[in-house]
Amino acid sequence: MQSAALRSFTTMFRKPVTVLRCMSSSSVGKLTTVDVNEKTGIATLTMNRPPVNGLNFELLRDINNSIDEIESNKCRGLILTSSSSTIFSAGLDIMEMYKPDQERLKQFWTALQDTWMALYGSSVPTAAAINGHSPAGGCLLATSCEYRVMLPNFTIGLNETKLGIVAPKWFMSTFCNVLPRRVAELALTQGKMFSSEEAFKAGLVDELAQTKEEALAKCEQFFANFAKTNPFARAMTKQQFRSKDLQQLEDEKAQDLEAFLFFVNQPSVQKGLGLYLESLKKKSK
């Protein structure tokens, strides 16, 4: 499989980034920002869709495009984080799935597939500074990264079963790439949300930090482990570990989309989504 994740290995990391800047020249209206540290060449990709970074089509598109920019600019690392002080990402935007426009629904799920493949298979070292709650799709993004640092008093997990939803196989594969299979199975079937401390003890996150600044610093320290590592060899080794999961979705992309469309359009699922939205409205009053 040839993808953006495999591009430009032979020219990666030739030169450090020398200017501190927002990478995209067309950042106005974008739901992400990319800032590059002038000394380290590390890019921080920040999700910025208030109030909860709900993953809608536009945010997924911008995350995917930002990953592409970071890879094209030969950055030395990618840190994914949030502009919110309490939410990393609340997961998939329910409004994309409730009483949906069918064409947009297809675009939405395809954007999610593409974003996962770009992040999970990125040739650039990746880390997540989890500075807020991270359920469902937020957990998927975090576990797609190679390293995770989380702040205290938040939660993370794939809680789809509690919402009457079945996590796709590639969600499960991403979870199993981080957790022991038995732990992952129990957590997935129970829809378990791990506290920060529980996530650390289980290995779902690698470190805890007291502040976002400390979390970002710990992510940068993780990247420093590769200072004496050949970047081509590092990237190819990562690719080999993850190639089966990536290739499986690549091969089953159309079927995965059709399964999602069938599921979402079931009357019982639409009813459940409606009830969930009503419960959220009541909580906000």
Side-chain angles (χ1 to χ4, degrees), residues 264-278:
V264 167
N265 285 298
Q266 293 300 302
S268 59
V269 174
Q270 285 296 307
K271 181 179 179 180
L273 292 175
L275 291 172
Y276 179 67
L277 288 171
E278 283 299 318

Side-chain angles (χ1 to χ4, degrees), residues 57-208:
F57 169 70
E58 287 78 13
L59 178 54
L60 289 167
R61 176 199 60 197
D62 286 356
I63 293 172
N64 197 4
N65 289 341
S66 293
I67 294 170
D68 188 58
E69 290 177 21
I70 290 167
E71 291 193 339
S72 297
N73 282 273
K74 316 298 186 298
C75 291
R76 294 175 177 265
L78 183 166
I79 302 174
L80 181 65
T81 192
S82 164
S83 62
S84 168
S85 60
T86 57
I87 301 289
F88 180 73
S89 169
L92 303 185
D93 189 335
I94 298 295
M95 295 308 299
E96 292 283 17
M97 297 177 281
Y98 183 58
K99 296 182 179 179
D101 173 85
Q102 295 302 310
E103 188 56 38
R104 181 178 171 92
L105 188 62
K106 292 179 184 178
Q107 294 175 340
F108 163 69
W109 194 253
T110 300
L112 179 62
Q113 292 173 328
D114 292 342
T115 299
W116 175 77
M117 294 179 76
L119 183 59
Y120 191 68
S122 177
S123 59
V124 175
T126 57
I130 308 168
N131 58 316
H133 296 295
S134 188
C139 179
L140 177 70
L141 293 180
T143 51
S144 296
C145 296
E146 297 167 54
Y147 204 75
R148 282 155 297 285
V149 183
M150 190 171 183
L151 272 61
N153 304 315
F154 294 120
T155 57
I156 184 171
L158 293 177
N159 62 338
E160 278 79 358
T161 56
K162 287 186 176 177
L163 304 177
I165 299 172
V166 179
K169 285 190 291 185
W170 44 286
F171 278 54
M172 296 181 184
S173 297
T174 309
F175 215 47
C176 288
N177 191 48
V178 175
L179 291 172
R181 183 181 178 86
R182 178 61 174 161
V183 175
E185 180 181 347
L186 288 174
L188 281 163
T189 54
Q190 295 169 8
K192 180 178 174 60
M193 291 296 295
F194 295 78
S195 68
S196 302
E197 187 62 34
E198 288 174 333
F200 175 65
K201 289 180 179 178
L204 185 55
V205 301
D206 299 287
E207 291 191 77
L208 298 178

Side-chain angles (χ1 to χ4, degrees), residues 53 72-73 97 140 168 211 236 279-280:
N53 285 326
S72 297
N73 282 273
M97 297 177 281
L140 177 70
T211 65
M236 287 300 295
S279 70
L280 292 179

Side-chain angles (χ1 to χ4, degrees), residues 26-46:
S26 57
S27 59
V28 177
K30 287 187 65 176
L31 300 175
T32 61
T33 59
V34 177
D35 295 298
V36 181
N37 184 301
E38 63 178 346
K39 294 182 179 179
T40 64
I42 292 171
T44 301
L45 196 173
T46 303

